[in-house]
Amino acid sequence: MDYINLSAFLIGISTAFFGIFALHILVWRKERTRFQTVLGWIMVIWAIWNLKDIVITFPGMYTREVLNWIMLIDGWSALTYTVFIFEVVQPGWVSWRKLGLLAIPFTVFTLLYVIVPEQWVVLSYAAFLWFYAWTIVGIGFVKTRRYLSYVRKNFSNIDNIDVSWLKSVFLFAIISQLSWLFVSLYATVPGDIVYYVSTILLWLMVLHYSWNFQPIKVEKDTESAADMLVHKNASSIQEGELERVVEEKKLYLKKDLTLADIALELSTNRTYVSSYLSQVRGQTFYDYINQMRIEKVSVPLLKEHPEYTLDYVAAESGFASISTFRRAFLKLTGKTPRQFVADARPET
C-alpha cells in the first residue's frame, strides 16, 4: 500500500473538514454567539495547520528535521484546546492579553529551536506539552464540575447549556494527543494516518455536542446588604412552603423555569432557595423540578393515555426535549417511558 498517497489523501480530507465547518460557522451561519465565533476561528486555524502537513508528502521531505518543525508548529494547537475549554466553562475569559501570556512558553521553545536545532529541545518541548495538557485538563475538569453544579442548581432546562459531554471530549482529546505525541517523536506514515483520523473524530464529537451550545457565566450566589434586609432567610422558608407554591401554581410546567423564578414567588433569593432544596430535600433545583414533572404529569398521562406519543407527553410535562424527558423518567422510575407503558398495560 502506498502510505504516502493515503497520508496525502487524509491531509486533504482533514483540511477540507475544518475548512468547510469554518465557512459554515463564520460565513453561512448568519446568527452566532461569541462561543460559536470562537469555534469557527478554531476551525480556520486547524484547517491551516492540516494544510501545512502536505509538505511531508513531497519527495525527500519526510525527514527528521522537517518533522521536528511540524511538531513545533503543531504544539501550538494546545492553545486552541485551551481557548475552547475556557470558552465553554468560563465564557468571556479568553482575551488577546491572556492568549499572549499563554503563548510565551511556546514562543520560547520555538525560538530556542531556531537557535539550537537539537533533538533535546524537541524532547523538552514534548515534555512541556505533556505537562501543559494535563494542567489544562485538570483545570478544565474542576471548572466543568463547578459549571455543572451551577446549572443544575439554577435551571430546569439545561439542554443547550449542559457540559456533561466535556468529560468524553477530555478522554478522547487525551487519546488523540497521545497518538500525536507518539507519531511526532517516532514518525511513521501509518501513525500519521491514525492521528488524522482521530483528530477528525475528536472535532466531529466537539462540533456535534457544541453546535447549539450556549455557555452561561457562573455567578456567585451573593446578595447585597439591602437585599438581605428585605429577603427571607433559609429558616423562614417553612418546610412544604416551596412545594406548595410550585404545585399550586404548576410552575414545573414552565419549560425554562429557573431558580430565580421560584425565589421571586417566595419573595426570597436564589441562595436561600438552593440551600432549602439541598438541606431539606437533598436535591438540586434541576432534579426537583424534573421529579415534579414526572410525578405530576408524565406518569398519570402514560397510565391514562398509553396511546399518546412520548414527544407529546414530554411537552405536556414541561420538558424542553424528549432526550431530557427520557433521562429524567429513567432516573426517577427505573424504567424507560416505553417500558413503563408496556408494564402498565393490563394483561389480555
Side-chain angles (χ1 to χ4, degrees), residues 323-339:
S323 58
T324 302
F325 166 62
R326 286 196 181 101
R327 286 194 300 269
F329 197 96
L330 178 62
K331 180 178 180 180
L332 186 63
T333 67
K335 301 177 182 179
T336 66
R338 293 194 185 282
Q339 289 173 334

Side-chain angles (χ1 to χ4, degrees), residues 22-163:
L23 283 173
H24 185 93
I25 296 171
L26 297 177
V27 179
W28 301 329
R29 192 167 187 165
K30 299 306 179 182
E31 295 183 2
R32 59 180 183 270
T33 62
R34 169 192 161 99
F35 169 76
Q36 290 158 353
T37 300
V38 169
L39 184 59
W41 281 108
I42 288 176
M43 294 295 101
V44 171
I45 293 169
W46 272 84
I48 296 171
W49 259 316
N50 278 269
L51 183 61
K52 78 166 184 340
D53 290 349
I54 200 70
V55 70
I56 65 174
T57 65
F58 298 161
M61 295 301 291
Y62 204 85
T63 64
R64 171 47 58 190
E65 183 179 1
V66 172
L67 292 172
N68 281 347
W69 271 110
I70 287 177
M71 178 185 177
L72 283 166
I73 297 170
D74 281 347
W76 285 73
S77 66
L79 293 176
T80 64
Y81 290 111
T82 306
V83 169
F84 174 78
I85 291 171
F86 276 88
E87 278 300 310
V88 169
V89 297
Q90 198 170 336
W93 181 87
V94 178
S95 64
W96 287 112
R97 177 178 174 275
K98 289 174 181 175
L99 270 179
L101 292 174
L102 287 172
I104 289 175
F106 296 89
T107 305
V108 170
F109 274 107
T110 303
L111 292 176
L112 182 60
Y113 189 71
V114 172
I115 300 169
V116 187
E118 301 289 342
Q119 193 63 22
W120 66 265
V121 177
V122 176
L123 294 175
S124 300
Y125 184 57
F128 159 73
L129 289 174
W130 178 255
F131 173 78
Y132 181 90
W134 278 107
T135 300
I136 294 302
V137 167
I139 294 173
F141 186 77
V142 171
K143 287 186 175 294
T144 297
R145 292 187 62 181
R146 182 186 174 206
Y147 183 100
L148 282 171
S149 174
Y150 179 80
V151 297
R152 290 177 180 274
K153 286 181 179 179
N154 288 275
F155 299 91
S156 65
N157 175 17
I158 65 172
D159 288 348
N160 291 330
I161 60 176
D162 189 16
V163 294

Side-chain angles (χ1 to χ4, degrees), residues 137-269:
V137 167
I139 294 173
F141 186 77
V142 171
K143 287 186 175 294
T144 297
R145 292 187 62 181
R146 182 186 174 206
Y147 183 100
L148 282 171
S149 174
Y150 179 80
V151 297
R152 290 177 180 274
K153 286 181 179 179
N154 288 275
F155 299 91
S156 65
N157 175 17
I158 65 172
D159 288 348
N160 291 330
I161 60 176
D162 189 16
V163 294
S164 300
W165 48 270
L166 265 184
K167 298 174 184 177
S168 299
V169 171
F170 284 149
L171 179 61
F172 206 132
I174 290 171
I175 295 172
S176 176
Q177 291 311 294
L178 280 175
S179 68
W180 169 79
L181 190 59
F182 178 81
V183 300
S184 297
L185 296 176
Y186 308 98
T188 63
V189 177
D192 288 341
I193 294 170
V194 172
Y195 166 68
Y196 290 122
V197 172
S198 65
T199 300
I200 290 174
L201 291 176
L202 169 63
W203 282 104
L204 195 59
M205 177 191 296
V206 169
L207 288 164
H208 168 72
Y209 285 118
S210 61
W211 196 249
N212 294 313
F213 178 67
Q214 297 177 353
I216 59 171
K217 290 186 177 182
V218 177
E219 301 175 359
K220 293 183 178 180
D221 292 325
T222 56
E223 296 288 326
S224 67
D227 290 334
M228 294 291 284
L229 290 174
V230 299
H231 288 150
K232 299 179 180 179
N233 57 35
S235 61
S236 67
I237 301 178
Q238 300 298 319
E239 187 168 348
E241 182 182 3
L242 182 148
E243 293 84 347
R244 176 183 59 78
V245 171
V246 170
E247 292 182 34
E248 285 184 356
K249 297 189 176 183
K250 296 184 178 181
L251 299 177
Y252 48 82
L253 294 180
K254 182 180 177 182
K255 286 182 173 60
D256 294 320
L257 184 71
T258 67
L259 188 73
D261 295 331
I262 301 295
L264 185 62
E265 292 287 344
L266 294 171
S267 299
T268 184
N269 60 62

Side-chain angles (χ1 to χ4, degrees), residues 282-297:
Q283 292 178 298
T284 63
F285 171 72
Y286 175 78
D287 288 332
Y288 167 63
I289 295 301
N290 282 344
Q291 179 183 338
M292 290 295 99
R293 289 167 174 168
I294 297 296
E295 291 181 348
K296 301 297 181 182
V297 187

Side-chain angles (χ1 to χ4, degrees), residues 11-24:
I11 291 171
I13 290 293
S14 60
T15 301
F17 169 83
F18 290 110
I20 289 171
F21 276 106
L23 283 173
H24 185 93

